[in-house]
Amino acid sequence: MAAQARQLGADPDEIRAIFRDQIEANKIVQRGLFQRWTDHPEEAPTTKPDLNVVRQKINQVTGALVEAVADSSADRGAFTCRPELALAGLEVHHENHLDALHTRALVRALASVCR
């Protein structure tokens, strides 16, 4: 992703920070779901996803996210970035009916978006 950032003229350190936050947000969800499934085994998945399909999707999302971060450099540095990002986060929370676990992860995922 850092190499792709350089090709797009973006700051690789900014890309790394944003992706680090995405990874940490993912860990929040993973740990929370494992705890939920430990507490309520009947809610645990009974089948495993095809990891080849999952990896392909992750690669697509990664590429698109690097491009979006590169394209939004000016907006992410603007004075209005934090309030606009907070509003967008509230909209995502509301529209997707996020539970507390996924809301915490969303907040964590957005930590370094604004410069």
Side-chain angles (χ1 to χ4, degrees), residues 40-91:
H40 304 280
E42 71 280 1
E43 295 179 13
T46 57
T47 60
K48 295 180 181 180
D50 180 342
L51 292 182
N52 289 324
V53 172
V54 172
R55 286 185 188 107
Q56 288 176 355
K57 188 63 177 175
I58 289 171
N59 289 340
Q60 289 173 347
V61 170
T62 298
L65 184 55
V66 170
E67 287 181 22
V69 170
D71 291 344
S72 64
S73 182
D75 292 332
R76 290 182 304 98
F79 177 74
T80 57
C81 182
R82 291 210 186 278
E84 288 175 353
L85 188 61
L87 180 58
L90 286 172
E91 289 173 359

